[in-house]
Amino acid sequence: MRVLVALGGNAMTGPDGSAAPEAQWEAIRGAMAHVAQLVEAGHDVVLTHGNGPQVGNILVKNELAAHVVPPVPLDWCGAQTQGTIGYMILVALEAALARRGVDRKVAAIVSRTLVDRDDPGFARPTKPIGRFLPLAQAQKLIDHGETWEDRGEKGWRRVVASPEPLEVLEAHTLNTLLEAGYVVTAAGGGGIPVVRTPDGDLEGVDAVIDKDLTAALLAEQLRADVLVIATDVTHAVLGYGTPTARPVGRVRLEEMEGYAAEGHFASGSMGPKVEAALRFARSGGRSVITTLHQITEAVVGDVGTVIEGAPTVTTPAIPT
């Protein structure tokens, strides 16, 4: 079975959210122990991952050094963090597979995600990133062309576009590696955001693509059977934070769409994960939202929030 696992931030940082190198190593080694179990079970595995804290660290360096060197743009941030996290996954997963006696090769691919240069998000950026700063410090970055907004008592905060992902451009390469038996990591942080210029070339843009939406898109492009969104909770929850809160188990696609339309899933937390799961299920796959340590069980549909895909419609053959 071909499985795409979207690793959440809890797989990349310490329990307290620390992105210190030692905390990241510990978290990734722990995550790869679970991924190795999934590979050992005989599945073809693709990994995607978040990069929020890691990009956050780079943005702080931008702020502190803005008077000395130009800030690193977000497409560069995505490329740098994909390389760093991909390297860590390679080391940790190879070791975890070796301990289990599993002979599988591992690859990490720096990958780009195509977005529309006319996406509405570019006209009015709304995605907040990085720290709050006083205007005097933010002004240095505004002078470099960044967009910052006054957020009142907290200070100023940078906002960027969050365009819809259209295509993971390295999907063909990834499929070739999968067919050759590799476990592959790609599209970290939603992928490096790029657009096509009027003459057909590609260029990076200052944007942040939702990592779970890209995971759903890549799962569809690679014809995965299952999309597992690994997070820090066992299920999506209806009425979260209320006395009537209850977990969602196995659910029909249209039923989950109804829950989402009713506003059960917050846009800043579970909302994008549910939307990604719905998108992949609409394409005919099976989506699961659950914890990292349950990903092997999730593939057979025994745990978490399971959304069964819409049945594939086939056109009857025309009699001859």
Side-chain angles (χ1 to χ4, degrees), residues 228-236 288-295 298 303-305:
V228 180
I229 299 177
T231 184
D232 55 358
V233 294
T234 58
H235 299 77
V288 187
I289 300 172
T290 194
T291 56
L292 177 62
H293 73 271
Q294 292 180 305
I295 59 174
V303 299
T305 296

Side-chain angles (χ1 to χ4, degrees), residues 21-218:
E22 59 273 15
Q24 291 188 58
W25 272 116
E26 183 177 358
I28 289 174
R29 288 188 181 106
M32 290 309 105
H34 297 296
V35 173
Q37 182 181 9
L38 186 61
V39 175
E40 185 181 30
H43 303 294
D44 294 329
V45 177
V46 184
L47 301 175
T48 66
H49 59 80
N51 66 348
Q54 292 80 8
V55 169
N57 282 353
I58 296 176
L59 295 180
V60 172
K61 295 173 185 176
N62 280 352
E63 295 160 9
L64 297 176
H67 63 291
V68 180
V69 293
V72 175
L74 284 174
D75 56 324
W76 285 32
C77 292
Q80 289 180 19
T81 55
Q82 280 190 15
T84 301
I85 295 171
Y87 150 67
M88 297 172 79
I89 287 175
L90 286 176
V91 172
L93 184 53
E94 285 177 346
L97 291 171
R99 283 193 294 272
R100 291 177 174 272
V102 178
D103 183 18
R104 292 286 291 275
K105 299 296 183 182
V106 183
I109 302 299
V110 173
S111 44
R112 303 158 295 172
T113 299
L114 182 68
V115 300
D116 187 346
R117 65 184 304 111
D118 295 321
D119 189 287
F122 290 114
R124 190 179 184 279
T126 58
K127 173 73 173 177
I129 62 170
R131 305 188 300 171
F132 292 93
L133 293 178
L135 177 58
Q137 289 179 253
Q139 189 62 53
K140 295 185 180 71
L141 298 156
I142 294 171
D143 293 342
H144 280 290
E146 296 181 1
T147 301
W148 286 67
E149 289 184 348
D150 185 354
R151 295 299 178 99
E153 292 183 0
K154 290 185 176 181
W156 287 65
R157 197 173 188 197
R158 186 181 178 187
V159 290
V160 299
S162 184
E164 280 282 317
L166 301 178
E167 180 185 359
V168 177
L169 297 177
E170 278 65 41
H172 177 75
T173 301
L174 302 176
N175 192 63
T176 299
L177 289 168
L178 286 166
E179 294 294 336
Y182 281 75
V183 181
V184 296
T185 298
I192 302 165
V194 297
V195 298
R196 288 211 181 272
T197 64
D199 60 7
D201 293 337
L202 292 168
E203 66 179 12
V205 288
D206 252 357
V208 172
I209 306 170
D210 185 272
K211 63 181 176 58
D212 293 313
L213 297 186
T214 297
L217 174 65
L218 182 59

